[in-house]
C-alpha cells in the first residue's frame, strides 16, 4: 500500500512541477506562490505559503491521505529526530540593528498545521518523502544556496515549529558549513553562541524576533560507516 501511495505521489509531483523543485536562498525568482519574494524567512513579512491572496487548503477538498507514510529506506539517511531543545539567547541579549525576523521556512509560516503544509508542499512540487503526525520528510530540498539530500519539518501542539536540513559526506569536508556560516553572518551578524567539541562544531543565531537558526557539523555513524553530517535548523 505504501509503495502504491508513493508511486501515485511521485507521479503527481512530476506532473505538477514538470520535474523541477522550487528552492529558497538560491537567487531564483521561481519560488512557489510568492511572485518573486522570499516568503516567511528573514524578511518580516506576513505572507502565508503560496497564498497570492488565498489561504492554502481552503476552497478545495484534497483526497484523504493515510495517517502515516514511512519514508523509503536509504543506507545513509540521517536520523531525523526533533531538535533536542529550543536554544535560548544569553541573559540580557538584544538584537543589534535591523536583524531580520525568522517567521518560517520554504514558504511555510511557523504555526502552520501539518495538513495545510502537506497540501502546499505537494502542490508546489516539493519532494515529500513521507510523513507522520508530527514530521514531514523531504528529499533534495534547497536552502542557503545548497541542495540538502534530506529535510524534516517538525510539528508541535501549535503547528510547525522547527525544520532541519541534512547533508552527509564520507569525508571530512567543511566547505558547506563554512559557506553557510559566512552567509548567516552576513545576514544576522556573528553567532550568539558557538560550540567546539572534539566531534563537532556548531553555531546559533537569533532573528529580530524569537526565531533561531543553528548550524552544525560533526561525525555520525550511518549504516555501520562513519559519515560527516552538516545540519541547518530554523525554528521559532
Amino acid at each position: 500500500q505504501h509503495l502504491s501511495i508513493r508511486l501515485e505521489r511521485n507521479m503527481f509531483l512530476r506532473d505538477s512541477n514538470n520535474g523541477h523543485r522550487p528552492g529558497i536562498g538560491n537567487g531564483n525568482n521561481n519560488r512557489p506562490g510568492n511572485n518573486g519574494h522570499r516568503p516567511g524567512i528573514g524578511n518580516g513579512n506576513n505572507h502565508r505559503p503560496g497564498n497570492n491572496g488565498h489561504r492554502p487548503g481552503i476552497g478545495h477538498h484534497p483526497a484523504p491521505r493515510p495517517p502515516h507514510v514511512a519514508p523509503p529506506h536509504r543506507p545513509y539517511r540521517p536520523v531525523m529526530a526533533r531538535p533536542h531543545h529550543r536554544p535560548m539567547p544569553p541573559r540580557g541579549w538584544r538584537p543589534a540593528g535591523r536583524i531580520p525576523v525568522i517567521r518560517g521556512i520554504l514558504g511555510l509560516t511557523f504555526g502552520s498545521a501539518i495538513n495545510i503544509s502537506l497540501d502546499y508542499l505537494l502542490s508546489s512540487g516539493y519532494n515529500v518523502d513521507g510523513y507522520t503526525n508530527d514530521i514531514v520528510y523531504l528529499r533534495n530540498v534547497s536552502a542557503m544556496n545548497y541542495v540538502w539530500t534530506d529535510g524534516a519539518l517538525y510539528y508541535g501542539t501549535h503547528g510547525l515549529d522547527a525544520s532541519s536540513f541534512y547533508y552527509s559526506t564520507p569525508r571530512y569536508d567543511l566547505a558547506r558549513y563554512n559557506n553557510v556560516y559566512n552567509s548567516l553572518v552576513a545576514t544576522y551578524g556573528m553567532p550568539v553562541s558557538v560550540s567546539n567539541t572534539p566531534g563537532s562544531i556548531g553555531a546559533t543565531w537569533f532573528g529580530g524576533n524569537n526565531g533561531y537558526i543553528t548550524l552544525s557539523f560533526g561525525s555520525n555513524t550511518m549504516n555501520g560507516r562513519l559519515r560527516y553530517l552538516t545540519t541547518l535548523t530554523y525554528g521559532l
Side-chain angles (χ1 to χ4, degrees):
Q1 180 183 8
H2 289 174
L3 178 59
S4 175
I5 293 169
R6 287 196 295 272
L7 288 174
E8 292 176 3
R9 184 178 69 252
N10 290 337
M11 290 175 65
F12 172 77
L13 292 176
R14 288 195 298 270
D15 293 341
S16 65
N17 201 39
N18 295 324
H20 300 289
R21 299 185 182 95
I24 65 167
N26 56 8
N28 69 50
N29 291 319
N30 298 317
R31 299 181 176 89
N34 64 359
N35 292 329
H37 301 289
R38 297 182 66 190
I41 174 170
N43 57 5
N45 66 35
N46 293 313
H47 295 303
R48 291 184 171 87
N51 55 14
N52 290 326
H54 303 285
R55 296 183 64 188
I58 296 178
H60 70 284
H61 301 281
R65 50 175 79 90
H68 298 95
V69 176
H73 171 75
R74 285 188 297 107
Y76 301 119
R77 177 188 293 280
V79 176
M80 290 182 283
R82 171 174 288 278
H84 295 294
H85 65 279
R86 183 192 185 282
M88 298 299 294
R91 184 183 299 274
W93 177 84
R94 295 290 183 275
R98 298 177 59 85
I99 297 178
V101 299
I102 302 168
R103 297 191 186 278
I105 194 71
L106 300 181
L108 287 166
T109 302
F110 287 125
S112 298
I114 191 168
N115 61 325
I116 291 178
S117 300
L118 281 168
D119 288 346
Y120 163 72
L121 293 166
L122 290 169
S123 65
S124 299
Y126 286 97
N127 192 342
V128 177
D129 216 20
Y131 58 87
T132 67
N133 61 353
D134 59 1
I135 301 177
V136 174
Y137 301 95
L138 302 171
R139 283 288 306 278
N140 299 325
V141 60
S142 297
M144 296 296 296
N145 293 319
Y146 281 102
V147 174
W148 305 75
T149 50
D150 291 279
L153 305 178
Y154 300 99
Y155 295 78
T157 56
H158 300 292
L160 175 65
D161 58 21
S163 61
S164 293
F165 304 94
Y166 306 87
Y167 186 80
S168 73
T169 60
R171 297 179 301 277
Y172 187 93
D173 185 356
L174 278 172
R176 178 179 297 237
Y177 178 93
N178 288 335
N179 288 335
V180 173
Y181 179 97
N182 290 334
S183 294
L184 290 172
V185 168
T187 302
Y188 297 95
M190 295 302 294
V192 174
S193 63
V194 296
S195 62
N196 190 352
T197 67
S200 67
I201 57 175
T204 299
W205 291 261
F206 289 90
N209 58 347
N210 289 325
Y212 68 90
I213 302 171
T214 62
L215 178 67
S216 65
F217 175 88
S219 59
N220 282 258
T221 300
M222 302 179 185
N223 200 37
R225 294 181 179 273
L226 181 66
R227 306 278 293 187
Y228 295 92
L229 184 67
T230 304
T231 305
L232 172 67
T233 297
Y234 291 84
L236 182 63

